[in-house]
């Protein structure tokens, strides 16, 4: 006997402005209850210290959460200079203090920041969610166990100094997935010779969504108290997939894709994932495999109502 899923079917993406002091999963569970949704997930956790853009996926949109997780991100961070903490942010105890260099000006800081632009190697924090032998690193860290972490390649597309004060820096960062802003700030602090840690962090971009797209949880709660539907705030799954090219199908090729069968199209230069649309809208993602003068489209993620299309 199959177990009946609790909650109603809700499909789409809601972009939340994650508040300070709560985990991403904590916010997910709050919003999931507000919607009464059967299935929901987020697209990459933010630390409790962090705020900002957090896309939540409901129902069919969860099929595309990995692609959203793999997208570029952007942040605004405030770094406290002269103090290193065990976690790399203000939630951890201070483990070292050093004098902050005098007369830190944008002209002095620019050569330091230049070292961290482009393709760099970064050692993940022990307080990250990366797993070792099936356990997240932060669990080992809390037990006082240090695990060797190899450096990983990341790309810093943009690193801009927004403001400098006596012992604080504000920076804006645009980067690839897997970049740890705490580690970046710690490395900048080491390059300055005084150490540093993050005291504020706000994500401004994720999966193509910005702060202009976010909704605050108290506003959702107020809408529910007024017995207003929240469904109109959801956006379609393909709103987060604009990084992939679009291809439209009709007739037998569309039927084949909907049946999970690959199709060949002539004269196309696609390579990688492609958004597929039918007569009535978004069908799903296919992987494009170039084969001579043709491209083979292999369906990978289809929305469940695509059979109607």
């Amino acid at each position: 006997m199959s177990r009946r899923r609790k909650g109603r079917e809700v499909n789409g993406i809601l972009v939340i402005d994650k508040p300070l002091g709560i985990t991403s999963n904590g916010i997910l569970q709050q919003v999931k209850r507000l919607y009464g949704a059967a299935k929901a997930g987020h697209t990459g956790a933010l630390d409790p210290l962090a705020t900002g853009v957090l896309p939540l996926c409901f129902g069919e949109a969860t099929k595309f959460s990995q692609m959203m997780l793999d997208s570029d991100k952007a942040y605004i961070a405030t770094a406290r200079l002269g103090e290193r903490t065990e976690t790399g942010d203000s939630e951890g105890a201070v483990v070292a203090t050093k004098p902050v260099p005098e007369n830190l000006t944008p002209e002095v800081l620019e050569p330091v920041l230049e070292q961290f632009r482009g393709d760099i190697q970064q050692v993940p924090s022990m307080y990250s969610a990366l797993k070792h032998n099936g356990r997240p690193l932060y669990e080992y860290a809390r037990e006082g166990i240090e695990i060797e972490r190899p450096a990983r390649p990341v790309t810093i597309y943009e690193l801009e100094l927004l403001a400098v004060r006596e012992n604080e820096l504000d920076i804006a960062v645009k980067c690839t997935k897997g970049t740890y802003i705490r580690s970046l700030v710690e490395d900048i602090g080491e390059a300055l010779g005084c150490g540093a840690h993050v005291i504020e962090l706000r994500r401004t971009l994720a999966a193509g969504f910005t702060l202009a797209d976010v909704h605050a949880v108290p506003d959702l709660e107020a809408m529910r108290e007024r017995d207003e539907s929240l469904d109109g705030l959801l956006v379609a799954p393909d709103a987060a997939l604009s990084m992939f090219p679009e291809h439209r199908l009709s007739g037998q090729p569309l039927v084949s894709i909907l049946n999970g069968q690959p199709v060949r199209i002539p004269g196309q230069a696609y390579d990688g994932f492609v958004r597929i649309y039918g007569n009535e809208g978004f069908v799903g993602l296919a992987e494009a495999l170039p084969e001579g003068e043709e491209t083979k489209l292999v369906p990978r993620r289809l929305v469940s109502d695509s059979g109607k299309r």
Side-chain angles (χ1 to χ4, degrees), residues 24-226:
S24 296
N25 188 60
I27 284 296
L28 172 66
Q29 297 308 320
Q30 284 185 27
V31 177
K32 184 180 179 183
R33 285 192 295 271
L34 288 171
Y35 271 87
K39 185 178 182 181
H42 60 68
T43 55
L46 283 171
D47 295 334
L49 172 78
T51 65
V53 179
L54 180 65
L56 305 181
C57 295
F58 294 88
E60 291 297 293
T62 60
K63 294 179 178 178
F64 308 100
S65 58
Q66 184 60 49
M67 289 76 179
M68 298 167 66
L69 178 62
D70 291 344
S71 67
D72 296 335
K73 310 293 192 300
Y75 303 86
I76 292 176
T78 297
R80 173 74 48 78
L81 303 178
E83 296 178 345
R84 246 184 349 104
T85 70
E86 60 182 1
T87 59
D89 60 30
S90 57
E91 295 192 324
V94 174
V95 295
T97 59
K98 288 185 178 180
V100 178
E102 296 181 359
N103 302 317
L104 277 183
T105 64
E107 292 73 24
V108 171
L109 289 164
E110 180 59 28
V112 175
L113 298 182
E114 181 61 27
Q115 302 174 41
F116 300 98
R117 297 189 180 111
D119 299 329
I120 65 171
Q121 296 287 320
Q122 187 181 74
V123 177
S125 167
M126 269 302 298
Y127 282 83
S128 71
L130 285 178
K131 290 189 176 180
H132 175 77
N133 292 336
R135 296 178 63 197
L137 288 178
Y138 61 76
E139 290 187 0
Y140 293 98
R142 289 168 182 167
E143 295 171 3
I145 301 172
E146 182 84 10
I147 302 295
E148 184 176 352
R149 291 102 58 209
R152 306 192 310 171
V154 298
T155 301
I156 308 296
Y157 299 115
E158 298 174 13
L159 176 55
E160 179 185 357
L161 178 66
L162 301 179
V164 55
R165 295 175 290 280
E166 183 177 351
N167 65 339
E168 291 181 358
L169 303 177
D170 295 338
I171 56 174
V173 184
K174 185 177 181 183
C175 54
T176 53
K177 69 164 186 174
T179 302
Y180 289 94
I181 304 302
R182 284 178 298 172
S183 296
L184 176 63
V185 164
E186 287 183 308
D187 290 343
I188 292 172
E190 288 302 306
L192 288 170
C194 61
H197 67 276
V198 173
I199 59 172
E200 291 183 17
L201 182 62
R202 186 155 177 78
R203 188 156 71 183
T204 59
L205 172 73
F209 298 111
T210 70
L211 291 171
D213 302 305
V214 300
H215 300 280
V217 173
D219 293 339
L220 304 183
E221 293 171 335
M223 289 178 67
R224 290 296 298 148
E225 289 177 4
R226 296 192 298 267

Side-chain angles (χ1 to χ4, degrees), residues 223-240:
M223 289 178 67
R224 290 296 298 148
E225 289 177 4
R226 296 192 298 267
D227 204 27
E228 296 178 16
S229 173
L230 303 178
D231 291 4
L233 303 180
L234 298 171
V235 296
D238 58 323

